Amino acid sequence: EMCIRDRQSTGTQHASMSEQGASSTHAESGDVAAATTTTATAAAEAPPAAGVSSQETDSAATTSTAESASAATEAPPAVEREPAPAATPLARGTGVKTTEEYMKGGKVIVLFKATGNAPQLKQSKFKLQATARFQNVTDFLRKQLRYTQTDALFLFINCTFQPAPDETIADLFKCFHNNGKLIINYSLVSAYG
């Protein structure tokens, strides 16, 4: 029944448009709006198909309008996503070194960075013994800066915390190295924490 009614209403629309003389395909926007209004009016006034009462036609039009409105408000169908691939361990030879490879020879690279108004070092990168205590690093930096024991000097790992003097460089390096370097920031005042 719906297909027959659709064809009949389309035929009625085409007939009313040709009667209006709106068969031009290059109409201005004002003409298109007028033709659309005339077509909608003609479709509403069109006689019902044979054997179909006007109540059935009205209910069919209401049903198709309700179906199109509900289709517009429905959520789009859920998109199925592929599962994420499982993580694969890094193989040797991929160019990524392990902590033990960086610490080969019992030494680690320490990079000193000045913070605030602390003086800059001429050479900021050093290789230090991995077994040395952090207190030894503090003494080494004081010697490089030509500071005495009474001069204030604060050392921080990665701009975050001051390690205990009895921590080993190897332990700090294993936990906090960045691309094979242990970054130690130094300052004349307690800048971090």
Side-chain angles (χ1 to χ4, degrees):
E1 286 183 3
M2 291 296 279
C3 294
I4 294 170
R5 274 187 246 128
D6 288 343
R7 280 192 225 144
Q8 288 175 351
S9 65
T10 306
T12 306
Q13 291 171 359
H14 288 299
S16 67
M17 286 180 68
S18 62
E19 289 172 6
Q20 296 277 326
S23 61
S24 173
T25 56
H26 299 290
E28 294 181 10
S29 62
D31 292 343
V32 173
T36 306
T37 307
T38 306
T39 306
T41 307
E45 295 174 358
V52 178
S53 69
S54 63
Q55 281 184 337
E56 291 178 57
T57 306
D58 292 342
S59 66
T62 307
T63 306
S64 65
T65 305
E67 287 174 359
S68 64
S70 67
T73 58
E74 289 180 14
V79 178
E80 289 187 32
R81 296 187 182 193
E82 295 180 17
T88 56
L90 294 174
R92 288 214 184 266
T94 59
V96 178
K97 289 184 176 181
T98 63
T99 305
E100 288 76 24
E101 290 173 337
Y102 283 124
M103 293 175 49
K104 195 177 278 187
K107 293 192 175 199
V108 297
I109 297 174
V110 175
L111 179 65
F112 291 106
K113 288 188 175 182
T115 304
N117 61 350
Q120 293 283 336
L121 291 171
K122 289 182 181 177
Q123 178 186 348
S124 61
K125 198 183 298 185
F126 297 93
K127 274 192 172 183
L128 301 177
Q129 289 291 327
T131 57
R133 303 276 176 203
F134 195 74
Q135 180 62 48
N136 298 10
V137 175
T138 306
D139 295 339
F140 174 78
L141 184 59
R142 282 184 186 280
K143 189 182 293 184
Q144 292 296 317
L145 293 171
R146 297 187 180 112
Y147 276 23
T148 63
Q149 290 288 28
T150 58
D151 293 332
L153 184 63
F154 298 91
L155 279 70
F156 302 92
I157 300 292
N158 293 338
C159 297
T160 53
F161 72 98
Q162 288 182 299
D166 61 340
E167 286 281 338
T168 63
I169 301 299
D171 291 340
L172 292 170
F173 184 83
K174 286 177 187 175
C175 296
F176 302 107
H177 78 90
N178 187 4
N179 293 329
K181 299 177 193 89
L182 180 63
I183 299 173
I184 299 177
N185 301 81
Y186 62 96
S187 175
L188 302 179
V189 294
S190 182
Y192 307 103

